[in-house]
Amino acid sequence: LVLSLGYIVFVERRPAMTAVTFLRHDVRNTLLMGVPATLYSIQMTLEYVALSNIDAAIFSVLVQTKLLATACCAVFILGKRIKKVQLISLILLTIGVMLCNMKNYG
């Protein structure tokens, strides 16, 4: 946010209030961008807290499940179709993370 405002003020030589005016006039796009950005920020904060409380190997497996959950939501909720190549890559990625973490315990 600070870098964006700095760009507007110093490079484009406009007052900083033009950003606020733009956001007020384009409420729909502001919400379409603001809600996911806020959720992503909360997610990253929670991941940092989780990493400080659990083992790094377990954390990497949990982060991997985020990708699988997103794919499942895309299929079951949004009705998207996943190609065979995408399904195989999800499976291989998950197996790869699990195998990398198994050497820590075996």
Side-chain angles (χ1 to χ4, degrees):
L1 182 62
V2 174
L3 293 175
S4 298
L5 287 175
Y7 179 82
I8 291 170
V9 171
F10 296 116
V11 175
E12 296 201 4
R13 302 196 187 282
R14 294 183 181 179
M17 287 303 291
T18 57
V20 175
T21 305
F22 175 77
L23 293 176
R24 284 185 182 162
H25 289 298
D26 197 12
V27 175
R28 182 176 183 274
N29 281 334
T30 301
L31 289 176
L32 286 174
M33 297 297 277
V35 171
T38 303
L39 292 174
Y40 180 75
S41 177
I42 292 169
Q43 171 196 343
M44 294 309 292
T45 303
L46 291 175
E47 282 186 9
Y48 182 73
V49 170
L51 182 57
S52 65
N53 289 318
I54 61 176
D55 186 42
I58 296 171
F59 177 77
S60 67
V61 172
L62 288 175
V63 169
Q64 183 62 35
T65 60
K66 179 174 61 175
L67 183 63
L68 291 173
T70 303
C72 289
C73 287
V75 170
F76 296 119
I77 295 174
L78 299 177
K80 300 284 183 178
R81 298 205 29 99
I82 293 182
K83 298 176 185 175
K84 283 185 180 180
V85 174
Q86 292 171 325
L87 182 62
I88 292 170
S89 66
L90 284 170
I91 292 169
L92 288 176
L93 192 58
T94 303
I95 291 172
V97 170
M98 294 171 117
L99 288 175
C100 286
N101 289 322
M102 281 181 64
K103 69 179 180 183
N104 294 334
Y105 296 109

